[in-house]
Amino acid sequence: MNRAARPVPVLHINDCAFTTTVLMREAGRRALPWEYLPLAVTEPSWRGATRVVRRALRGAGWEARLAGAARRADLLHIHFATVVRHAGWVPRPHVLHLHGTDARSYQYDRRLGPLVRRAIERADAVLYSTPDLAPHVDWRPDATLLPVPIDTTALPVWAPAERPRVVFASRWHEVKGLAVQLAVAELLSRRLGNDVELVGVDWGPGAGLARAAGVRLVPKADHATFQRLLATAHVVVGQPTGMLAASELEALGIGVPVVAPLHGPWYRASGAAIPPVLGGVDLGAAYALPSQDPTVPGARALERGEERVLAEGIATAVVGALGEPGGVSAGIDAAAWLAREHGSASAVDALLPLYDRVMAEREA
């Protein structure tokens, strides 16, 4: 079959951090023969014995939908390693897309580790979404970084609030460097007082501590509402763990200056482009960074003094950017960088030849 004559029909299973949503939107613009099947969801209201029965019925219905969708596809693109246990029975080649916790944490878990490692080993191709995952998949030498895709056409226009505002982009959780985020909030609150508003999302086990540190918390809302919140910021504080997630990338695409330390070795190992954030690799090299998961091999929890000096570096960069955020934004031109390195068009352009290669190798 001449694969160059037509795109490969692909079924995307699951969505993580809106990656599938963004890819499907771009595929729709190109009229590509891709479909998306979300996972079945267990309703929180289900209780007792009926919960087991309802889960079984919903699971059976989902597998029936999977079987029907798979008949229209030549290839599966499975998002998140543990999803393979639900979809691995389908007789189709598949691309496994690692999104973070699966490679960084579950791979080393006593119960889930064998499943995750087997999924990585048996996939026809492996993708990973962020540079920090590079050392966790280096045993699969052909694993490739697919930078988190962002639909730049859907981003709101930067419209900073009247009162200077600093927005914390991450949820208040240990995997997002919670202790350092709280220390940054405390420092900014003490230095800037009521002159600057600190804002974050009421999300994560540390949200109450963030509120106590001086952060005004807004309810967790839909994706578009969160993007509009980012667009009101004069400066965005990114997670201090050495890489950027989708939220920080979206802020860059909007044009907001983002302050975040970056771990240079991850970017070099993965071949990822260095994001134009304030602090960046220099800040990441100057201070020890918190582990995203203290349970993984080689992880080391930061000492209190290390957390404090990193927070000082971040807070200093934030205060500097608040002086002239528009000039800072224009100087780094992050929106153009994001469109080039993380635009949804670039992501689909990278996937099409990968799909062709997987099918050609299966048919050889």
Side-chain angles (χ1 to χ4, degrees), residues 52-358:
V52 176
V53 175
R54 288 182 172 184
R55 285 188 64 184
L57 290 173
R58 181 160 290 187
W62 183 85
E63 290 201 352
R65 290 193 298 276
L66 171 60
R71 281 195 291 269
R72 299 186 293 273
D74 291 346
L75 181 145
L76 307 183
H77 186 141
I78 300 175
H79 296 264
F80 210 82
T82 56
V83 176
V84 170
R85 65 183 168 187
H86 304 299
W89 57 269
V90 177
R92 294 286 187 277
H94 72 272
V95 173
L96 175 63
H97 200 147
L98 304 169
H99 284 272
T101 306
D102 47 358
R104 187 191 311 115
S105 302
Y106 291 171
Q107 181 178 187
Y108 309 106
D109 180 79
R110 184 174 182 179
R111 181 174 63 89
L112 293 174
L115 167 67
V116 171
R117 291 190 293 273
R118 188 163 56 249
I120 295 172
E121 180 181 12
R122 295 180 179 179
D124 292 272
V126 174
L127 300 169
Y128 59 97
S129 60
T130 51
D132 60 302
L133 302 182
H136 299 290
V137 294
D138 58 3
W139 60 272
R140 172 87 194 225
D142 63 333
T144 304
L145 174 73
L146 184 74
V148 175
I150 305 294
D151 184 359
T152 56
T153 67
L155 295 176
V157 174
W158 187 24
E162 182 176 349
R163 179 184 173 194
R165 176 178 291 179
V166 174
V167 172
F168 288 79
S170 299
R171 67 185 184 274
W172 306 98
H173 196 285
E174 185 178 11
V175 299
K176 299 293 186 179
L178 174 61
V180 176
Q181 287 199 73
L182 293 174
V184 172
E186 291 169 355
L187 287 167
L188 291 176
S189 183
R190 188 160 56 247
R191 290 184 189 179
L192 303 173
N194 292 328
D195 293 337
V196 173
E197 182 183 30
L198 308 181
V199 182
V201 177
D202 191 358
W203 184 20
L209 296 173
R211 183 183 290 109
V215 180
R216 180 174 69 86
L217 299 180
V218 299
K220 184 183 176 185
D222 60 77
H223 189 208
T225 300
F226 177 68
Q227 290 177 331
R228 289 193 293 271
L229 173 66
L230 292 176
T232 67
H234 291 72
V235 180
V236 162
V237 176
Q239 59 179 289
T241 58
M243 48 76 70
L244 302 187
S247 298
E248 293 94 346
L249 292 168
E250 288 170 342
L252 285 175
I254 293 167
V256 188
V258 175
V259 176
L262 300 176
H263 187 54
W266 289 342
Y267 283 83
R268 290 190 289 273
S270 64
I274 303 294
V277 296
L278 303 177
V281 172
D282 290 341
L283 190 62
Y287 304 103
L289 302 180
S291 171
Q292 294 162 307
D293 185 344
T295 68
V296 304
R300 180 182 73 85
L302 294 188
E303 298 177 1
R304 182 66 61 86
E306 292 175 315
E307 293 171 349
R308 198 70 184 177
V309 295
L310 174 58
E312 287 275 4
I314 294 171
T316 298
V318 170
V319 172
L322 283 170
E324 183 53 52
V328 171
S329 176
I332 60 179
D333 196 15
W337 177 89
L338 185 89
R340 182 175 65 253
E341 301 294 340
H342 286 267
S344 55
S346 298
V348 171
D349 285 345
L351 287 175
L352 292 175
L354 173 67
Y355 294 159
D356 286 339
R357 178 176 62 77
V358 168

